[in-house]
Amino acid sequence: MTPSSSGANGSVSVDSSTATRRNSKRPKYSRFTQQELPACKPILTPQWVIATFIIVSLVFIPLGVITLFASQDVVQIVDHYDTECIPPTNRTNKVGFIQSGAIKTCTRKLKVPKKMNHPIYVYYQLDNFYQNHRRYVKSRSDQQLKNPKSHDAVTDCDPEAKTPDGKIIVPCGLIAWSLFNDTYSFTVNKTKLNVNKKDISWKSDRESKFGKNVFPENFQNGTFIGGASLDADIPLNEQEDLIVWMRTAALPTFRKLYGKIEVDLQQNDTIQVTLENNYNTYSFDGKKKLVLSTTTWLGGKNDFLGIAYLTVGGICFFLALCFSLAYFLKPSKSVWNWLKIDNEAALAIKLVEVQCRIGFARDPCQNLLSPLKSDHRPMASMQALGRQNQDGFPPFLRLPKGFIGKLYE
């Protein structure tokens, strides 16, 4: 009975150990999961840190100067006309004036500060206009804009989906309904300047988002007129003012391209602008500006990039100077001399510290680590450290093979 019982117990123990292995959550061994892949861990010595800051400053400061000068070469004229184009007698009730049927033609004179080489880009700028409002952005039908077969796809266009008598509006939605409708014409020395509106929108928008067989229908025929009207005989992919406007802005202050002037303007020229002040920004305390601008290889006028480069470069140069003074005037031997050891030895020191901390090391830790971190590192201590049985440690705590000999080659 005894052998059979022991045999039975033995089978039970075998089965239980097999079940334990089968149900174990230990991952399958690999060098990747056990973090045994070769790795490089640079040690940031003072020399490396100072050199890095100096290199960054030497790159960023010239870039900042170059971009700042490029931005300064841009000639820009900005005219804030929304208040000036309201008659003085109506400025106490601007909303009433803009919604009335009064004549809203306004003449402005602009002085050219420097020669402006063509092309000169004409923008209108709106402030405090939140085109990124969720309900406003969603109030459009991309299917309707692109495909004539999706004429009735207006579920997202409320409240500008249909006219009061139930007819479908094309293009539908609040974005199209609020299309900017101020107009500008320019004269210099009694010569009218032509404003080219061709290719002012993105090519991808014209070809992919607006159909060549989709035409406006019942647009601005409702009770309230939101903005400009559209020519019903021109397909949407050629209505570039609409395409520019339908690309909504992310910020409440934005500029949109109105057109391009293809002639040079000389310094001290006087530009006479005749504009129609139709667009209602007064209801929400918005502002309107007319902007004429040239460009450089960097784009339009924007000092931020140059200032950012100069700021980062200056900070890096200042830090490099501070670290250099601290390193040369008051070096810390206990730290820097240790870090002068090559990467393999420094890694070994860290591993021994971990071994000591968790109780694996068999020799007194201080006797091993103190000479190792010193400038002399006696041979006896090195040999004692090398005699430790590293096979008893987990792989990620073992000392690199041959590192003791490498230190004393």
Side-chain angles (χ1 to χ4, degrees):
M1 295 299 291
T2 304
S4 62
S5 299
S6 62
N9 292 335
S11 63
V12 170
S13 62
V14 171
D15 293 341
S16 62
S17 62
T18 304
T20 302
R21 286 198 301 271
R22 188 182 301 114
N23 297 328
S24 174
K25 295 182 179 179
R26 179 183 297 177
K28 185 178 180 181
Y29 172 81
S30 70
R31 297 185 66 190
F32 176 76
T33 58
Q34 297 302 318
Q35 301 182 19
E36 294 179 355
L37 294 175
C40 177
K41 186 178 180 182
I43 298 176
L44 296 178
T45 63
Q47 294 91 332
W48 274 106
V49 174
I50 293 170
T52 301
F53 280 132
I54 291 177
I55 291 172
V56 171
S57 63
L58 290 178
V59 172
F60 275 43
I61 290 176
L63 276 176
V65 173
I66 292 171
T67 53
L68 203 56
F69 273 107
S71 179
Q72 295 297 325
D73 287 340
V74 174
V75 184
Q76 181 173 271
I77 303 173
V78 180
D79 182 39
H80 186 183
Y81 67 87
D82 53 351
T83 300
E84 297 297 326
C85 286
I86 298 288
T89 56
N90 297 103
R91 289 180 184 175
T92 56
N93 185 16
K94 297 177 182 178
V95 176
F97 171 78
I98 204 70
Q99 292 178 345
S100 67
I103 297 175
K104 303 180 182 66
T105 303
C106 178
T107 301
R108 306 285 293 164
K109 291 186 178 181
L110 309 177
K111 194 85 168 180
V112 180
K114 290 172 58 178
K115 181 181 179 181
M116 302 179 72
N117 297 318
H118 72 283
I120 301 168
Y121 294 91
V122 181
Y123 300 92
Y124 55 88
Q125 177 176 320
L126 298 180
D127 297 352
N128 201 36
F129 191 112
Y130 288 84
Q131 271 199 320
N132 61 347
H133 191 282
R134 183 177 63 87
R135 292 184 62 187
Y136 183 86
V137 171
K138 289 179 64 177
S139 184
R140 61 185 293 166
S141 174
D142 291 323
Q143 295 82 7
Q144 186 197 62
L145 294 172
K146 184 178 180 180
N147 190 352
K149 295 180 180 179
S150 301
H151 177 271
D152 298 335
V154 295
T155 41
D156 294 329
C157 291
D158 288 333
E160 291 298 321
K162 298 179 180 180
T163 60
D165 55 354
K167 296 180 180 178
I168 298 293
I169 298 174
V170 182
C172 66
L174 286 174
I175 305 178
W177 175 79
S178 60
L179 176 62
F180 187 78
N181 62 343
D182 283 8
T183 61
Y184 313 103
S185 61
F186 304 91
T187 304
V188 175
N189 298 327
K190 298 182 179 180
T191 302
K192 186 175 181 180
L193 301 179
N194 181 46
V195 179
N196 182 12
K197 287 180 171 288
K198 185 174 178 58
D199 296 336
I200 62 173
S201 60
W202 288 23
K203 183 179 179 181
S204 59
D205 288 352
R206 296 194 301 269
E207 295 179 353
S208 303
K209 294 186 176 181
F210 293 82
K212 62 181 179 180
N213 295 320
V214 181
F215 294 85
E217 294 181 24
N218 306 309
F219 189 69
Q220 302 291 15
N221 288 345
T223 306
F224 299 102
I225 305 300
S229 300
L230 297 175
D231 191 332
D233 297 325
I234 300 177
L236 294 186
N237 72 326
E238 296 180 15
Q239 309 253 14
E240 297 210 40
D241 284 328
L242 173 69
I243 298 174
V244 170
W245 180 258
M246 293 288 285
R247 178 166 283 278
T248 53
L251 300 175
T253 297
F254 59 87
R255 293 179 181 179
K256 291 187 180 289
L257 187 59
Y258 181 83
K260 295 177 286 186
I261 298 175
E262 304 288 356
V263 297
D264 295 344
L265 297 179
Q266 303 302 319
Q267 184 176 2
N268 296 325
D269 277 351
T270 300
I271 307 173
Q272 181 172 309
V273 184
T274 304
L275 60 88
E276 292 289 333
N277 183 28
N278 298 316
Y279 201 70
N280 183 10
T281 58
Y282 309 101
S283 298
F284 53 88
D285 295 326
K287 297 178 181 178
K288 295 186 290 186
K289 297 176 184 177
L290 170 65
V291 181
L292 278 68
S293 177
T294 60
T295 59
T296 63
W297 59 269
L298 191 63
K301 189 175 186 64
N302 186 358
D303 295 338
F304 173 78
L305 187 60
I307 294 173
Y309 274 128
L310 288 175
T311 302
V312 174
I315 292 174
C316 289
F317 182 79
F318 175 75
L319 292 175
L321 183 63
C322 292
F323 288 169
S324 299
L325 292 175
Y327 176 64
F328 288 109
L329 297 180
K330 194 176 180 181
S332 178
K333 294 183 180 179
S334 61
V335 176
W336 302 130
N337 289 351
W338 177 30
L339 291 180
K340 287 178 182 176
I341 304 174
D342 58 82
N343 290 349
E344 190 175 8
L347 176 61
I349 294 171
K350 289 295 184 183
L351 292 177
V352 172
E353 287 181 338
V354 174
Q355 292 172 3
C356 293
R357 197 169 297 166
I358 65 177
F360 279 116
R362 301 182 181 182
D363 294 328
C365 295
Q366 294 301 325
N367 296 336
L368 295 176
L369 290 175
S370 297
L372 184 61
K373 294 183 181 179
S374 67
D375 292 333
H376 305 292
R377 291 171 295 188
M379 186 62 177
S381 182
M382 292 291 99
Q383 291 173 348
L385 186 60
R387 283 196 301 269
Q388 293 187 94
N389 184 11
Q390 298 296 317
D391 294 335
F393 299 140
F396 60 90
L397 288 179
R398 294 174 188 170
L399 297 177
K401 292 182 179 180
F403 96 97
I404 299 294
K406 183 177 180 180
L407 290 175
Y408 284 89
E409 286 179 354

